[in-house]
Amino acid sequence: MVSTFSNSASVDLSGVRFTIRNLQPQLVEWRRRLHQKPELGFKEKLTAEFIANKLQESGIEHQTGVAQTGIVAIIKGEKSPLNNGRGNLAPTLAIRADMDALPIQELNEVPYRSQHDGLMHACGHDGHSAIALGTACYLQQNRHSFAGTVKIIFQPAEEGPGGAKPMIEAGVLKNPDVDAIIGLHLWNNLPLGTVGVRPGALMAAVESFDCTILGKGGHGAMPHQTVDSVVVSAQIINALQTIVARNVNPIDSAVVTIGELHAGTKRNVIADTARMSGTVRYFNPELSGFFKARIEQIISGICQSQGANYDLNYRSLYPAVINDAKMAELVRAVAEEVVETPLGVIPECQTMGGEDMSFFLQAVPGCYFFLGSANPAKDLAYPHHHPRFDFDETALAMGVEIFVRCIEKFCN
Ligand SMILES: [Zn+2]
Ligand SMILES: [Zn+2]
């Protein structure tokens, strides 16, 4: 699907869209500047400095160094609030963007390619920061267009170890208290000109584990003197597949993947130990704690039956991204106005990928959504985290427009 955004005949040339379209060259410039200097989680020094400078230049009140490298900007609307019976006459809405890059060597041959060896904005967080910055600047110029307060949260370390939780702990949702939050992910799994949004679960809970099977090594020809950690591992890996197949309600989606298995040094030596690592994904928050217990039960039972021991390290990383129904409806209605076609709003957009936006959504009602950014005609359709990932920058102004229209609807 091709976007109707940039050359639609029905474009409102006097309103929000026109003003935001004029921001597009600026958005592209900012995004490319950020793209050239990617930084890993909690090391976003140049990134934060760049964002803070732009906020400063625009006269936007902000605080830096929140949860190490995070930034919070505050813009107060000047419109008189409507007494709409909601009770809170001056709501506070937060917009969240992440800033970090990945340890990937960029293979794109573009003028704005990464200048940091081995690091790359391969998930689009450079775009998220540019969109949030553009939103902040637009709102600062148009304070008459909304009532209440908007907080723009620039969060570190989404790719790991997670910057959302420390930012919440640092108090970003307080003073003034945030009533709701929205955020977006540029999304190459959807074409430019579409928005993926739905109430309820959008992205999965992420858990991971490392397990070492402690057997007893020996001669490959004398297995009776050993406890073969490779054979024990094989049984465990097969048995772990039964968790999703036989224990989880088939209506609930879930994944158990073993992505790493290391054992042995030589073909005629029985391995003393074997090490496996895996990841677990699911949507239903009621399954929290279930996989940890079941995985340990299986590992423990098989080890016991085989005379092996084990060492298991299990971690719950991010909860599932669960959208509030009302906030999802707000974003859906706005998205339909922006893409100008109901077909461009796609509710079938769930993914088992994870996101620490989930912590914000646990704390306050909100909505996270996908902004389609793939454009195969321009060879901009590589998946996220690919060394040739890039997106169609036309999506940048669309992101700003969706945020601004949501703010004007919510803060009114
Ligand atoms: Zn990513
Ligand atoms: Zn991402």
Side-chain angles (χ1 to χ4, degrees):
M1 180 182 299
V2 173
S3 165
T4 52
F5 179 74
S6 53
N7 44 23
S8 163
S10 62
V11 161
D12 163 20
L13 287 176
S14 58
V16 178
R17 175 164 299 181
F18 179 71
T19 316
I20 292 172
R21 276 179 56 175
N22 286 339
L23 267 178
Q24 175 67 7
Q26 184 77 86
L27 294 168
V28 170
E29 189 200 316
W30 289 342
R31 181 261 160 162
R32 293 184 178 189
R33 284 279 297 277
L34 293 169
H35 190 87
Q36 285 177 311
K37 313 264 184 201
E39 297 168 297
L40 294 179
F42 293 124
K43 292 184 177 141
E44 304 94 336
K45 290 212 161 54
L46 298 171
T47 308
E49 205 174 273
F50 178 82
I51 292 167
N53 281 341
K54 296 295 162 199
L55 293 169
Q56 189 72 34
E57 282 168 21
S58 300
I60 299 169
E61 179 188 340
H62 64 281
Q63 193 188 342
T64 57
V66 183
Q68 301 184 46
T69 45
I71 299 174
V72 185
I74 288 196
I75 303 135
K76 295 192 172 95
E78 291 172 351
K79 189 174 178 180
S80 302
L82 293 171
N83 190 347
N84 54 12
R86 198 167 44 192
N88 187 355
L89 293 183
T92 299
L93 183 68
I95 302 286
R96 174 270 202 177
D98 42 12
M99 306 187 287
D100 58 322
L102 287 153
I104 293 172
Q105 180 68 44
E106 176 157 15
L107 293 180
N108 288 319
E109 305 282 345
V110 289
Y112 53 91
R113 67 179 296 191
S114 169
Q115 294 172 357
H116 292 174
D117 244 14
L119 300 180
M120 179 189 175
H121 270 293
C123 202
H125 300 186
D126 48 347
H128 303 170
S129 293
I131 290 170
L133 197 51
T135 305
C137 291
Y138 175 90
L139 293 176
Q140 178 71 2
Q141 297 293 317
N142 295 276
R143 275 167 294 180
H144 59 272
S145 72
F146 66 101
T149 305
V150 175
K151 270 190 191 180
I152 313 260
I153 297 171
F154 296 91
Q155 178 213 301
E158 189 286 320
E159 301 285 3
K165 209 169 171 223
M167 283 202 96
I168 295 166
E169 285 161 1
V172 297
L173 297 178
K174 301 269 160 219
N175 191 29
D177 289 357
V178 168
D179 295 297
I181 189 163
I182 52 179
L184 65 77
H185 208 302
L186 290 159
W187 208 235
N188 270 14
N189 300 305
L190 290 175
L192 180 72
T194 64
V195 171
V197 63
R198 68 192 312 285
L202 182 80
M203 300 180 80
V206 183
E207 299 177 354
S208 73
F209 61 94
D210 303 302
C211 182
T212 305
I213 305 304
L214 308 161
K216 186 177 167 206
H219 198 295
M222 301 166 199
H224 59 293
Q225 297 171 352
T226 73
V227 175
D228 189 340
S229 65
V230 169
V231 172
V232 175
S233 299
Q235 293 182 40
I236 288 172
I237 291 166
N238 274 331
L240 290 178
Q241 304 312 307
T242 64
I243 299 177
V244 172
R246 301 289 96 172
N247 302 140
V248 173
N249 182 339
I251 302 301
D252 286 327
S253 301
V255 178
V256 175
T257 291
I258 304 294
E260 275 188 65
L261 174 63
H262 307 276
T265 51
K266 204 169 189 324
R267 72 172 70 85
N268 62 353
V269 175
I270 286 174
D272 194 51
T273 61
R275 190 163 51 79
M276 64 182 80
S277 298
T279 185
V280 171
R281 309 294 170 103
Y282 58 90
F283 291 127
N284 186 350
E286 285 174 17
L287 289 170
S288 169
F290 166 77
F291 289 92
K292 179 176 194 277
R294 187 74 190 116
I295 285 171
E296 176 137 33
Q297 209 175 21
I298 285 172
I299 292 172
S300 156
I302 290 173
C303 281
Q304 200 186 16
S305 73
Q306 302 297 309
N309 285 312
Y310 68 93
D311 180 23
L312 174 65
N313 178 8
Y314 196 98
R315 297 170 299 275
S316 296
L317 303 175
Y318 299 164
V321 172
I322 310 279
N323 284 336
D324 174 76
K326 275 189 191 156
M327 292 304 293
E329 175 51 27
L330 172 80
V331 171
R332 190 203 60 77
V334 163
E336 229 170 67
E337 285 172 22
V338 173
V339 301
E340 295 185 330
T341 150
L343 289 177
V345 180
I346 297 167
E348 301 83 11
C349 56
Q350 280 175 305
T351 159
M352 299 309 275
E355 244 286 345
D356 73 347
M357 176 71 180
S358 51
F359 288 107
F360 287 113
L361 295 172
Q362 277 187 338
V364 292
C367 178
Y368 196 55
F369 63 97
F370 296 127
L371 179 58
S373 56
N375 190 344
K378 293 192 201 165
D379 200 23
L380 298 170
Y382 283 93
H384 295 257
H385 295 202
H386 189 282
R388 292 194 191 280
F389 173 82
D390 202 351
F391 59 87
D392 192 320
E393 290 165 325
T394 311
L396 294 172
M398 297 180 80
V400 175
E401 186 176 341
I402 294 174
F403 278 158
V404 165
R405 287 180 187 261
C406 283
I407 290 159
E408 290 182 355
K409 278 214 161 99
F410 187 84
C411 297
N412 220 321

